[in-house]
Amino acid sequence: MPPSKKSSKSKQEEPVEEVSVTGSGWVEKMNEAIDNLSESRTSTREESLDTITKIFAAHHVFSQIENRLEEVLGLLKKSLTKNNSVKEACLASHAIALTFINLDNISEGEGDDLYRRILPSLRNTIKNSEDVEIKISCLQTLALITYTAASDIDKLLVRDYLFELIETDGMDFNVEGLSPQERDDLFAEALKAYGILYASSFATGFVDFDVLWEEVEKVMPMHEMLLESSDKDVRIAAGENIGLMFETVNVFLVKDPNDEDEEEDEEEDMVKPEYDNMDGLIHTLKDLSVDSNRRRAKSDRVEQKSVFRDIVKTVEENVKPTEELKINGRVLLFRGWGKILPLSAFRSCLGQGFQHHLKTNAMMKEIFRYSTGFSARQAQDSDDSGDEDDLNTAGLSNVDKKYLYDEHKKSRTKQIRNARISKETSPQY
C-alpha cells in the first residue's frame, strides 16, 4: 500500500510543475525544453515536448521563438517522424499546431513556406502510422495549420485528401489493424477536419457559388450516408458539416420574403439548384433530433438531439447557431457553424490557454473577427442596430454579413409598417 500512496502523491505533484511554466521563468524553461529536443533519450524528449505544449498554449510566444522558428519546427518534425513512441509523436504533433497558432506576426509567404515544410510529414504520418492516436493527433494538427497558414489551393488539396480518407473508408490509410471503434474515431476526426477547412474556404471572403455548389454536390451524399453510422461522434460530425454546408449555400439562395425588390429576381430564383435528396435528408436529420433509441446511452441521445435540433433549424429555416464566451465580464458572440466549428478546434488545441489567446493573439481576432471592447449587452446587440449607411461589414464572414443585412431589413420593414399603421389610425382634424 505505501508504494501506491507514493505513486498517487507523485501524480498529484505534477500539476505543480505545470503551473510553474506560467511563472516569471517560463522563457528560460521553454528554451531549455527546445534544446532538449535534440537529446537521444526518448523520455527526455517527451518531457520537453510536454513542457513546450503547455508553454505554447499558456503564452503568446512568437517574439520568444521568432529567431529560432525554423529550428523549432525542424526539431518537432523529427520527433513526429522518429516513430519511437506514441506519446512523443502526439506531443510533437500538438506542439506543431500550437506553433502555428502563435505565428500571428509573419507574412503570408513566410507562413506558407513553413507550412509546406511540415505538410508532407503530417500527411505521411496519417497515412502510414499504425496507431490511431497518432493519426488523430496529426489530423487535428493538419486541419489547424492548413486553416491558419495554407493558400487556397493547398486548402483545396487537403480537403480532397481528407475526403478521400472518408469516402474510401481509409483504404489507403493503413487502417487494417485498427478496431471498429478506432476506425470510427478516425473517421469522426477526419469529418471534423474536413468541416474546418470547408469553413475556411466557403464561410468567409469572396466565394464563387459554382465552386461551392460543386463541392456540396460532391460531398453531401457521403455525409448523408454517415448520418446512419452506429457511432455517435461520426453522426454528429457529419451533421454539423451538413449544417455548415447549408449555411454557406443559404447565403446565396435564401432571400428575405419582405424584400420587395426581389420580385425582379424571380426568374433567377427558379433556376437555382437544390440538393437532390432534400426531403430524405431533412427526414433523417429530424429523426436524429428526436432519437429515443434505448440501445444508445442516455447522455449520447441528449447530446445528439441538442446538436441536430440546431442542424435542422439551419437546413430548414436558415437559423444560425450561436455560441457565447465570457472573457473578463464581457461577452463574445460567435454566430454560425462557420465560426463555431473552427472555434471548437482552437479551443481543443489550446486547452486552458484558449482565453489567453483570445485576448492577446492577433491571429485569433483576425480569424474570428471579434472585439473585446463591448459590454455583454452591446456584444449581443451589436449586429442588430444602426442605419444601413452605418453598417460596417469589413472583415465579416458571409454568414454575418447576410445576418446583419437581414436584421437591418427586418427592422426597417417593421418601422415602415408601424409608421403606416400609425398614419392610418391617426385621428383626422
Side-chain angles (χ1 to χ4, degrees):
M1 293 301 293
S4 297
K5 288 182 180 179
K6 185 176 181 181
S7 174
S8 175
K9 186 177 180 182
S10 66
K11 287 182 180 177
Q12 291 173 1
E13 288 173 351
E14 287 178 4
V16 176
E17 281 299 311
E18 292 173 13
V19 172
S20 69
V21 302
T22 63
S24 58
W26 67 268
V27 176
E28 291 76 13
K29 292 193 176 192
M30 179 191 71
N31 284 321
E32 181 183 354
I34 293 172
D35 293 338
N36 286 339
L37 290 180
S38 300
E39 293 290 324
S40 58
R41 184 177 294 179
T42 301
S43 60
T44 300
R45 295 196 304 272
E46 288 173 350
E47 290 172 9
S48 298
L49 287 165
D50 189 55
T51 299
I52 288 168
T53 56
K54 288 176 173 62
I55 291 177
F56 281 22
H59 298 275
H60 190 200
V61 301
F62 175 75
S63 60
Q64 286 77 26
I65 65 172
E66 181 179 9
N67 293 331
R68 57 188 312 192
L69 191 52
E70 292 186 14
E71 176 196 358
V72 169
L73 285 173
L75 290 168
L76 293 176
K77 185 167 73 169
K78 282 184 181 178
S79 281
L80 174 66
T81 56
K82 275 182 183 294
N83 204 27
N84 282 355
S85 81
V86 172
K87 182 178 180 181
E88 180 179 10
C90 290
L91 284 169
S93 171
H94 189 193
I96 289 169
L98 290 167
T99 302
F100 276 83
I101 290 175
N102 276 281
L103 303 184
D104 66 333
N105 198 26
I106 62 173
S107 68
E108 287 186 14
E110 290 174 306
D112 186 62
D113 180 57
L114 294 172
Y115 170 78
R116 288 175 178 273
R117 296 186 188 191
I118 294 294
L119 177 62
S121 298
L122 286 171
R123 289 177 58 127
N124 291 337
T125 304
I126 292 168
K127 276 207 167 189
N128 300 326
S129 175
E130 297 179 353
D131 189 90
V132 71
E133 289 183 54
I134 295 176
K135 287 178 179 289
I136 286 175
S137 180
C138 287
L139 278 172
Q140 293 167 342
T141 295
L142 176 63
L144 279 173
I145 73 169
T146 303
Y147 188 99
T148 59
S151 64
D152 290 342
I153 186 62
D154 280 326
K155 289 174 183 175
L156 167 62
L157 293 173
V158 175
R159 278 204 322 272
D160 288 345
Y161 170 85
L162 294 169
F163 188 64
E164 178 192 351
L165 166 58
I166 297 165
E167 186 179 36
T168 64
D169 207 26
M171 182 183 297
D172 296 323
F173 287 80
N174 196 20
V175 299
E176 292 78 14
L178 303 183
S179 69
Q181 184 57 59
E182 287 174 333
R183 287 193 184 202
D184 284 337
D185 293 343
L186 179 66
F187 297 140
E189 205 58 53
L191 284 163
K192 291 177 186 178
Y194 175 87
I196 293 167
L197 297 186
Y198 179 98
S200 179
S201 295
F202 299 116
T204 188
F206 173 78
V207 176
D208 184 327
F209 179 76
D210 291 335
V211 174
L212 182 156
W213 187 251
E214 182 180 352
E215 183 77 4
V216 169
E217 285 192 309
K218 180 179 78 173
V219 304
M220 185 68 77
M222 177 54 61
H223 278 78
E224 185 179 359
M225 186 184 305
L226 291 171
L227 294 175
E228 308 288 347
S229 170
S230 60
D231 185 80
K232 179 258 302 180
D233 291 335
V234 171
R235 294 193 300 272
I236 288 178
E240 288 178 333
N241 284 357
I242 288 171
L244 169 64
M245 284 185 265
F246 274 93
E247 180 177 89
T248 57
V249 168
N250 287 342
V251 169
F252 294 88
L253 300 189
V254 177
K255 296 192 175 183
D256 187 348
N258 296 321
D259 193 341
E260 298 173 2
D261 295 335
E262 288 175 11
E263 292 178 5
E264 301 173 6
D265 299 329
E266 192 171 340
E267 269 185 40
E268 184 183 345
D269 291 343
M270 293 175 64
V271 299
K272 283 180 177 174
E274 184 177 273
Y275 178 55
D276 289 341
N277 191 34
M278 194 68 183
D279 291 341
L281 175 62
I282 291 176
H283 178 76
T284 302
L285 294 173
K286 285 185 173 179
D287 280 351
L288 291 168
S289 72
V290 295
D291 186 10
S292 58
N293 189 334
R294 297 295 178 181
R295 289 177 296 178
R296 293 171 182 160
K298 183 177 179 181
S299 59
D300 287 355
R301 296 200 307 270
V302 170
E303 180 185 0
Q304 176 178 290
K305 286 192 282 189
S306 174
V307 173
F308 275 92
R309 286 187 191 117
D310 285 340
I311 295 166
V312 169
K313 286 179 182 177
T314 299
V315 174
E316 275 203 311
E317 305 169 36
N318 192 28
V319 175
K320 289 86 176 173
T322 58
E323 183 166 338
E324 292 181 356
L325 296 178
K326 282 189 177 181
I327 298 182
N328 294 342
R330 303 183 187 277
V331 173
L332 302 182
L333 183 65
F334 299 87
R335 181 181 293 108
W337 299 105
K339 284 189 176 180
I340 290 174
L341 297 186
L343 188 73
S344 176
F346 278 92
R347 179 193 286 130
S348 176
C349 182
L350 288 162
Q352 293 183 353
F354 178 64
Q355 287 209 4
H356 176 76
H357 278 267
L358 278 180
K359 289 184 284 187
T360 64
N361 191 328
M363 177 186 288
M364 300 288 280
K365 293 184 180 181
E366 177 74 18
I367 289 170
F368 295 109
R369 302 293 183 180
Y370 59 84
S371 168
T372 54
F374 291 124
S375 68
R377 177 67 181 168
Q378 288 172 324
Q380 293 175 25
D381 291 348
S382 60
D383 285 350
D384 301 338
S385 61
D387 294 330
E388 187 170 355
D389 291 340
D390 295 327
L391 295 178
N392 180 12
T393 61
L396 292 179
S397 70
N398 291 330
V399 171
D400 279 350
K401 287 179 184 177
K402 182 74 164 56
Y403 178 86
L404 189 59
Y405 284 118
D406 283 352
E407 290 301 308
H408 176 74
K409 284 191 277 187
K410 288 176 186 176
S411 176
R412 290 285 295 163
T413 301
K414 187 175 180 180
Q415 290 173 6
I416 293 170
R417 187 184 301 116
N418 289 341
R420 286 173 180 167
I421 292 173
S422 175
K423 185 176 181 180
E424 290 171 359
T425 57
S426 296
Q428 302 293 320
Y429 295 99

Short mmCIF file of all heavy atoms in Angstrom, two decimals, residues 300-349:
data_model
loop_
_atom_site.label_atom_id
_atom_site.label_comp_id
_atom_site.label_asym_id
_atom_site.label_seq_id
_atom_site.Cartn_x
_atom_site.Cartn_y
_atom_site.Cartn_z
N ASP A 300 -25.55 10.14 -24.74
CA ASP A 300 -25.35 10.25 -26.18
C ASP A 300 -26.59 10.78 -26.86
O ASP A 300 -26.52 11.62 -27.77
CB ASP A 300 -24.99 8.88 -26.78
CG ASP A 300 -23.56 8.46 -26.43
OD1 ASP A 300 -22.84 9.27 -25.83
OD2 ASP A 300 -23.19 7.32 -26.78
N ARG A 301 -27.76 10.30 -26.44
CA ARG A 301 -29.02 10.75 -27.05
C ARG A 301 -29.26 12.23 -26.78
O ARG A 301 -29.70 12.97 -27.66
CB ARG A 301 -30.19 9.92 -26.54
CG ARG A 301 -30.14 8.45 -26.89
CD ARG A 301 -31.52 7.80 -26.79
NE ARG A 301 -32.16 8.02 -25.52
CZ ARG A 301 -32.05 7.23 -24.46
NH1 ARG A 301 -31.26 6.17 -24.50
NH2 ARG A 301 -32.70 7.50 -23.34
N VAL A 302 -28.97 12.66 -25.56
CA VAL A 302 -29.18 14.06 -25.19
C VAL A 302 -28.27 14.96 -26.03
O VAL A 302 -28.73 15.98 -26.58
CB VAL A 302 -28.89 14.28 -23.69
CG1 VAL A 302 -28.86 15.77 -23.35
CG2 VAL A 302 -29.96 13.59 -22.84
N GLU A 303 -26.98 14.60 -26.13
CA GLU A 303 -26.05 15.40 -26.92
C GLU A 303 -26.47 15.44 -28.39
O GLU A 303 -26.48 16.50 -29.02
CB GLU A 303 -24.64 14.83 -26.80
CG GLU A 303 -23.61 15.60 -27.60
CD GLU A 303 -22.23 14.96 -27.58
OE1 GLU A 303 -22.06 13.91 -26.93
OE2 GLU A 303 -21.32 15.51 -28.23
N GLN A 304 -26.82 14.28 -28.93
CA GLN A 304 -27.19 14.20 -30.34
C GLN A 304 -28.43 15.03 -30.64
O GLN A 304 -28.47 15.77 -31.62
CB GLN A 304 -27.45 12.74 -30.73
CG GLN A 304 -27.94 12.57 -32.16
CD GLN A 304 -28.13 11.11 -32.52
OE1 GLN A 304 -27.17 10.37 -32.64
NE2 GLN A 304 -29.37 10.68 -32.67
N LYS A 305 -29.44 14.91 -29.78
CA LYS A 305 -30.70 15.65 -30.03
C LYS A 305 -30.45 17.15 -30.00
O LYS A 305 -31.00 17.89 -30.83
CB LYS A 305 -31.76 15.23 -29.01
CG LYS A 305 -32.33 13.85 -29.26
CD LYS A 305 -33.57 13.56 -28.43
CE LYS A 305 -33.23 13.23 -27.01
NZ LYS A 305 -34.42 12.75 -26.26
N SER A 306 -29.64 17.61 -29.06
CA SER A 306 -29.36 19.04 -28.96
C SER A 306 -28.68 19.55 -30.23
O SER A 306 -29.07 20.60 -30.78
CB SER A 306 -28.47 19.29 -27.74
OG SER A 306 -28.07 20.63 -27.68
N VAL A 307 -27.66 18.83 -30.70
CA VAL A 307 -26.92 19.27 -31.89
C VAL A 307 -27.81 19.23 -33.12
O VAL A 307 -27.85 20.18 -33.92
CB VAL A 307 -25.68 18.38 -32.11
CG1 VAL A 307 -25.01 18.72 -33.45
CG2 VAL A 307 -24.68 18.57 -30.97
N PHE A 308 -28.57 18.15 -33.29
CA PHE A 308 -29.35 18.01 -34.51
C PHE A 308 -30.56 18.95 -34.56
O PHE A 308 -31.05 19.25 -35.64
CB PHE A 308 -29.75 16.55 -34.73
CG PHE A 308 -28.68 15.75 -35.41
CD1 PHE A 308 -27.73 15.07 -34.67
CD2 PHE A 308 -28.59 15.72 -36.80
CE1 PHE A 308 -26.71 14.35 -35.29
CE2 PHE A 308 -27.58 15.01 -37.43
CZ PHE A 308 -26.64 14.33 -36.68
N ARG A 309 -31.03 19.41 -33.42
CA ARG A 309 -32.08 20.44 -33.45
C ARG A 309 -31.54 21.70 -34.10
O ARG A 309 -32.23 22.35 -34.90
CB ARG A 309 -32.57 20.73 -32.03
CG ARG A 309 -33.45 19.63 -31.45
CD ARG A 309 -34.05 20.05 -30.11
NE ARG A 309 -34.66 18.91 -29.45
CZ ARG A 309 -34.26 18.41 -28.28
NH1 ARG A 309 -33.23 18.96 -27.65
NH2 ARG A 309 -34.88 17.38 -27.74
N ASP A 310 -30.31 22.06 -33.74
CA ASP A 310 -29.68 23.24 -34.37
C ASP A 310 -29.45 23.01 -35.86
O ASP A 310 -29.62 23.93 -36.68
CB ASP A 310 -28.35 23.56 -33.68
CG ASP A 310 -28.53 24.21 -32.33
OD1 ASP A 310 -29.61 24.76 -32.07
OD2 ASP A 310 -27.58 24.16 -31.51
N ILE A 311 -29.04 21.79 -36.22
CA ILE A 311 -28.79 21.49 -37.63
C ILE A 311 -30.07 21.58 -38.45
O ILE A 311 -30.09 22.16 -39.54
CB ILE A 311 -28.16 20.08 -37.77
CG1 ILE A 311 -26.77 20.06 -37.11
CG2 ILE A 311 -28.04 19.68 -39.24
CD1 ILE A 311 -26.21 18.67 -36.90
N VAL A 312 -31.16 21.03 -37.91
CA VAL A 312 -32.46 21.10 -38.61
C VAL A 312 -32.88 22.54 -38.80
O VAL A 312 -33.38 22.93 -39.87
CB VAL A 312 -33.53 20.31 -37.83
CG1 VAL A 312 -34.92 20.59 -38.40
CG2 VAL A 312 -33.24 18.81 -37.89
N LYS A 313 -32.69 23.38 -37.79
CA LYS A 313 -33.06 24.80 -37.89
C LYS A 313 -32.27 25.49 -39.00
O LYS A 313 -32.81 26.33 -39.73
CB LYS A 313 -32.82 25.51 -36.56
CG LYS A 313 -33.83 25.17 -35.48
CD LYS A 313 -33.50 25.91 -34.20
CE LYS A 313 -34.46 25.54 -33.08
NZ LYS A 313 -34.11 26.21 -31.80
N THR A 314 -31.00 25.14 -39.13
CA THR A 314 -30.18 25.73 -40.19
C THR A 314 -30.64 25.28 -41.56
O THR A 314 -30.81 26.09 -42.48
CB THR A 314 -28.69 25.36 -40.00
OG1 THR A 314 -28.23 25.87 -38.75
CG2 THR A 314 -27.84 25.94 -41.12
N VAL A 315 -30.86 23.98 -41.72
CA VAL A 315 -31.22 23.42 -43.02
C VAL A 315 -32.63 23.87 -43.45
O VAL A 315 -32.84 24.24 -44.61
CB VAL A 315 -31.14 21.88 -42.99
CG1 VAL A 315 -31.65 21.28 -44.30
CG2 VAL A 315 -29.70 21.43 -42.75
N GLU A 316 -33.58 23.86 -42.52
CA GLU A 316 -34.97 24.17 -42.87
C GLU A 316 -35.29 25.66 -42.82
O GLU A 316 -36.02 26.17 -43.66
CB GLU A 316 -35.92 23.44 -41.92
CG GLU A 316 -36.24 22.02 -42.32
CD GLU A 316 -37.53 21.54 -41.71
OE1 GLU A 316 -37.71 21.70 -40.49
OE2 GLU A 316 -38.36 20.98 -42.45
N GLU A 317 -34.73 26.36 -41.83
CA GLU A 317 -35.15 27.74 -41.59
C GLU A 317 -34.03 28.77 -41.75
O GLU A 317 -34.25 29.96 -41.54
CB GLU A 317 -35.73 27.86 -40.17
CG GLU A 317 -36.86 26.88 -39.87
CD GLU A 317 -37.20 26.85 -38.39
OE1 GLU A 317 -37.13 27.94 -37.75
OE2 GLU A 317 -37.52 25.77 -37.87
N ASN A 318 -32.83 28.31 -42.10
CA ASN A 318 -31.68 29.20 -42.24
C ASN A 318 -31.37 29.93 -40.93
O ASN A 318 -30.99 31.10 -40.92
CB ASN A 318 -31.91 30.23 -43.36
CG ASN A 318 -30.62 30.96 -43.72
OD1 ASN A 318 -29.53 30.43 -43.57
ND2 ASN A 318 -30.75 32.19 -44.18
N VAL A 319 -31.54 29.24 -39.81
CA VAL A 319 -31.22 29.80 -38.50
C VAL A 319 -29.80 29.37 -38.11
O VAL A 319 -29.49 28.19 -38.11
CB VAL A 319 -32.22 29.32 -37.43
CG1 VAL A 319 -31.81 29.82 -36.05
CG2 VAL A 319 -33.62 29.79 -37.77
N LYS A 320 -28.97 30.36 -37.80
CA LYS A 320 -27.58 30.05 -37.43
C LYS A 320 -27.48 29.80 -35.93
O LYS A 320 -28.06 30.54 -35.14
CB LYS A 320 -26.64 31.20 -37.79
CG LYS A 320 -26.40 31.37 -39.29
CD LYS A 320 -27.46 32.21 -39.92
CE LYS A 320 -27.17 32.47 -41.39
NZ LYS A 320 -28.29 33.15 -42.05
N PRO A 321 -26.74 28.78 -35.53
CA PRO A 321 -26.50 28.59 -34.09
C PRO A 321 -25.59 29.69 -33.57
O PRO A 321 -24.86 30.32 -34.34
CB PRO A 321 -25.81 27.22 -34.04
CG PRO A 321 -25.11 27.11 -35.35
CD PRO A 321 -26.01 27.80 -36.36
N THR A 322 -25.64 29.93 -32.29
CA THR A 322 -24.76 30.94 -31.69
C THR A 322 -24.06 30.34 -30.48
O THR A 322 -24.56 29.42 -29.84
CB THR A 322 -25.54 32.18 -31.23
OG1 THR A 322 -26.55 31.79 -30.29
CG2 THR A 322 -26.18 32.88 -32.42
N GLU A 323 -22.91 30.88 -30.20
CA GLU A 323 -22.18 30.48 -29.01
C GLU A 323 -21.60 31.72 -28.36
O GLU A 323 -21.04 32.59 -29.04
CB GLU A 323 -21.06 29.49 -29.36
CG GLU A 323 -20.30 28.98 -28.15
CD GLU A 323 -19.45 27.77 -28.46
OE1 GLU A 323 -19.74 27.07 -29.45
OE2 GLU A 323 -18.50 27.52 -27.71
N GLU A 324 -21.77 31.83 -27.05
CA GLU A 324 -21.26 32.97 -26.31
C GLU A 324 -20.09 32.54 -25.42
O GLU A 324 -20.12 31.49 -24.81
CB GLU A 324 -22.36 33.58 -25.43
CG GLU A 324 -23.47 34.24 -26.21
CD GLU A 324 -24.52 34.85 -25.29
OE1 GLU A 324 -24.39 34.66 -24.05
OE2 GLU A 324 -25.46 35.48 -25.78
N LEU A 325 -19.07 33.40 -25.37
CA LEU A 325 -17.94 33.18 -24.47
C LEU A 325 -17.76 34.42 -23.61
O LEU A 325 -17.79 35.54 -24.11
CB LEU A 325 -16.66 32.92 -25.26
CG LEU A 325 -16.61 31.67 -26.13
CD1 LEU A 325 -15.27 31.63 -26.87
CD2 LEU A 325 -16.78 30.41 -25.30
N LYS A 326 -17.61 34.21 -22.32
CA LYS A 326 -17.39 35.32 -21.41
C LYS A 326 -15.90 35.46 -21.13
O LYS A 326 -15.24 34.50 -20.76
CB LYS A 326 -18.13 35.10 -20.09
CG LYS A 326 -19.62 35.38 -20.16
CD LYS A 326 -20.25 35.36 -18.79
CE LYS A 326 -21.73 35.72 -18.87
NZ LYS A 326 -22.37 35.74 -17.53
N ILE A 327 -15.40 36.67 -21.34
CA ILE A 327 -13.99 36.97 -21.05
C ILE A 327 -13.92 38.27 -20.28
O ILE A 327 -14.34 39.33 -20.78
CB ILE A 327 -13.17 37.08 -22.35
CG1 ILE A 327 -13.19 35.76 -23.12
CG2 ILE A 327 -11.74 37.48 -22.04
CD1 ILE A 327 -12.37 35.77 -24.37
N ASN A 328 -13.42 38.19 -19.07
CA ASN A 328 -13.30 39.39 -18.21
C ASN A 328 -14.61 40.15 -18.10
O ASN A 328 -14.65 41.38 -18.17
CB ASN A 328 -12.21 40.32 -18.76
CG ASN A 328 -10.84 39.71 -18.67
OD1 ASN A 328 -10.63 38.76 -17.92
ND2 ASN A 328 -9.89 40.25 -19.44
N GLY A 329 -15.70 39.42 -17.92
CA GLY A 329 -17.00 40.05 -17.76
C GLY A 329 -17.63 40.53 -19.04
O GLY A 329 -18.73 41.10 -19.02
N ARG A 330 -16.98 40.30 -20.18
CA ARG A 330 -17.53 40.70 -21.46
C ARG A 330 -17.95 39.45 -22.23
O ARG A 330 -17.42 38.36 -22.01
CB ARG A 330 -16.52 41.51 -22.27
CG ARG A 330 -16.02 42.74 -21.55
CD ARG A 330 -15.06 43.54 -22.43
NE ARG A 330 -14.44 44.63 -21.69
CZ ARG A 330 -15.01 45.82 -21.51
NH1 ARG A 330 -16.21 46.05 -21.99
NH2 ARG A 330 -14.39 46.76 -20.83
N VAL A 331 -18.88 39.63 -23.14
CA VAL A 331 -19.41 38.50 -23.90
C VAL A 331 -19.00 38.61 -25.36
O VAL A 331 -19.20 39.65 -25.99
CB VAL A 331 -20.95 38.44 -23.81
CG1 VAL A 331 -21.51 37.36 -24.74
CG2 VAL A 331 -21.39 38.16 -22.39
N LEU A 332 -18.40 37.55 -25.87
CA LEU A 332 -18.12 37.46 -27.31
C LEU A 332 -19.15 36.53 -27.91
O LEU A 332 -19.36 35.42 -27.44
CB LEU A 332 -16.72 36.90 -27.55
CG LEU A 332 -15.55 37.66 -26.93
CD1 LEU A 332 -14.24 37.00 -27.32
CD2 LEU A 332 -15.56 39.12 -27.35
N LEU A 333 -19.80 36.98 -28.96
CA LEU A 333 -20.85 36.21 -29.61
C LEU A 333 -20.33 35.68 -30.94
O LEU A 333 -19.90 36.44 -31.80
CB LEU A 333 -22.08 37.08 -29.85
CG LEU A 333 -23.31 36.40 -30.45
CD1 LEU A 333 -23.87 35.35 -29.51
CD2 LEU A 333 -24.38 37.43 -30.79
N PHE A 334 -20.36 34.36 -31.10
CA PHE A 334 -19.93 33.72 -32.34
C PHE A 334 -21.17 33.12 -33.00
O PHE A 334 -21.85 32.29 -32.40
CB PHE A 334 -18.88 32.64 -32.06
CG PHE A 334 -17.65 33.18 -31.41
CD1 PHE A 334 -17.57 33.31 -30.03
CD2 PHE A 334 -16.57 33.58 -32.18
CE1 PHE A 334 -16.43 33.81 -29.43
CE2 PHE A 334 -15.42 34.08 -31.59
CZ PHE A 334 -15.35 34.20 -30.20
N ARG A 335 -21.45 33.53 -34.23
CA ARG A 335 -22.67 33.13 -34.90
C ARG A 335 -22.36 32.29 -36.13
O ARG A 335 -21.59 32.70 -36.99
CB ARG A 335 -23.49 34.35 -35.31
CG ARG A 335 -24.81 34.03 -36.01
CD ARG A 335 -25.55 35.28 -36.42
NE ARG A 335 -25.98 36.01 -35.25
CZ ARG A 335 -25.45 37.16 -34.84
NH1 ARG A 335 -24.44 37.69 -35.53
NH2 ARG A 335 -25.89 37.76 -33.76
N GLY A 336 -22.99 31.14 -36.21
CA GLY A 336 -22.89 30.32 -37.41
C GLY A 336 -21.90 29.17 -37.27
O GLY A 336 -20.91 29.26 -36.55
N TRP A 337 -22.19 28.08 -37.98
CA TRP A 337 -21.30 26.92 -37.97
C TRP A 337 -19.91 27.28 -38.48
O TRP A 337 -18.90 26.71 -38.04
CB TRP A 337 -21.88 25.81 -38.85
CG TRP A 337 -23.22 25.31 -38.42
CD1 TRP A 337 -24.42 25.57 -39.00
CD2 TRP A 337 -23.51 24.46 -37.29
NE1 TRP A 337 -25.45 24.95 -38.33
CE2 TRP A 337 -24.91 24.25 -37.28
CE3 TRP A 337 -22.72 23.85 -36.32
CZ2 TRP A 337 -25.53 23.46 -36.32
CZ3 TRP A 337 -23.33 23.08 -35.35
CH2 TRP A 337 -24.73 22.88 -35.36
N GLY A 338 -19.84 28.24 -39.39
CA GLY A 338 -18.56 28.64 -39.98
C GLY A 338 -17.60 29.23 -38.97
O GLY A 338 -16.38 29.27 -39.21
N LYS A 339 -18.11 29.70 -37.84
CA LYS A 339 -17.24 30.18 -36.76
C LYS A 339 -17.16 29.18 -35.62
O LYS A 339 -16.10 28.98 -35.02
CB LYS A 339 -17.76 31.52 -36.24
CG LYS A 339 -17.46 32.70 -37.15
CD LYS A 339 -17.79 34.01 -36.48
CE LYS A 339 -17.39 35.20 -37.36
NZ LYS A 339 -17.73 36.49 -36.72
N ILE A 340 -18.28 28.54 -35.32
CA ILE A 340 -18.34 27.67 -34.14
C ILE A 340 -17.46 26.42 -34.31
O ILE A 340 -16.78 26.01 -33.37
CB ILE A 340 -19.80 27.28 -33.85
CG1 ILE A 340 -20.57 28.51 -33.35
CG2 ILE A 340 -19.87 26.16 -32.82
CD1 ILE A 340 -22.05 28.28 -33.17
N LEU A 341 -17.45 25.83 -35.50
CA LEU A 341 -16.66 24.61 -35.69
C LEU A 341 -15.15 24.88 -35.59
O LEU A 341 -14.44 24.17 -34.87
CB LEU A 341 -17.00 23.94 -37.03
CG LEU A 341 -18.45 23.44 -37.18
CD1 LEU A 341 -18.62 22.67 -38.48
CD2 LEU A 341 -18.86 22.58 -36.00
N PRO A 342 -14.61 25.91 -36.28
CA PRO A 342 -13.18 26.22 -36.07
C PRO A 342 -12.89 26.63 -34.63
O PRO A 342 -11.84 26.28 -34.08
CB PRO A 342 -12.92 27.37 -37.05
CG PRO A 342 -13.98 27.22 -38.10
CD PRO A 342 -15.18 26.71 -37.37
N LEU A 343 -13.82 27.38 -34.02
CA LEU A 343 -13.62 27.81 -32.64
C LEU A 343 -13.43 26.60 -31.72
O LEU A 343 -12.56 26.60 -30.85
CB LEU A 343 -14.83 28.63 -32.18
CG LEU A 343 -14.71 29.33 -30.83
CD1 LEU A 343 -13.76 30.51 -30.93
CD2 LEU A 343 -16.08 29.78 -30.33
N SER A 344 -14.23 25.58 -31.93
CA SER A 344 -14.13 24.36 -31.13
C SER A 344 -12.77 23.70 -31.32
O SER A 344 -12.17 23.19 -30.35
CB SER A 344 -15.25 23.39 -31.53
OG SER A 344 -15.13 22.17 -30.83
N ALA A 345 -12.25 23.71 -32.54
CA ALA A 345 -10.95 23.10 -32.81
C ALA A 345 -9.83 23.87 -32.10
O ALA A 345 -8.92 23.27 -31.52
CB ALA A 345 -10.69 23.05 -34.31
N PHE A 346 -9.88 25.19 -32.15
CA PHE A 346 -8.87 26.01 -31.47
C PHE A 346 -8.96 25.82 -29.95
O PHE A 346 -7.93 25.74 -29.27
CB PHE A 346 -9.04 27.48 -31.83
CG PHE A 346 -8.43 27.86 -33.14
CD1 PHE A 346 -9.18 27.82 -34.30
CD2 PHE A 346 -7.10 28.23 -33.23
CE1 PHE A 346 -8.63 28.16 -35.54
CE2 PHE A 346 -6.53 28.59 -34.45
CZ PHE A 346 -7.30 28.54 -35.60
N ARG A 347 -10.17 25.75 -29.44
CA ARG A 347 -10.35 25.55 -28.00
C ARG A 347 -9.76 24.21 -27.56
O ARG A 347 -9.09 24.11 -26.54
CB ARG A 347 -11.83 25.60 -27.64
CG ARG A 347 -12.09 25.38 -26.16
CD ARG A 347 -13.56 25.12 -25.88
NE ARG A 347 -14.34 26.32 -25.98
CZ ARG A 347 -15.46 26.43 -26.70
NH1 ARG A 347 -15.89 25.41 -27.43
NH2 ARG A 347 -16.14 27.56 -26.72
N SER A 348 -10.01 23.18 -28.35
CA SER A 348 -9.49 21.86 -28.02
C SER A 348 -7.95 21.84 -28.04
O SER A 348 -7.31 21.23 -27.18
CB SER A 348 -10.03 20.82 -29.02
OG SER A 348 -9.47 19.55 -28.79
N CYS A 349 -7.37 22.53 -28.98
CA CYS A 349 -5.91 22.56 -29.11
C CYS A 349 -5.26 23.37 -27.99
O CYS A 349 -4.25 22.97 -27.42
CB CYS A 349 -5.51 23.13 -30.47
SG CYS A 349 -3.73 23.16 -30.78
#
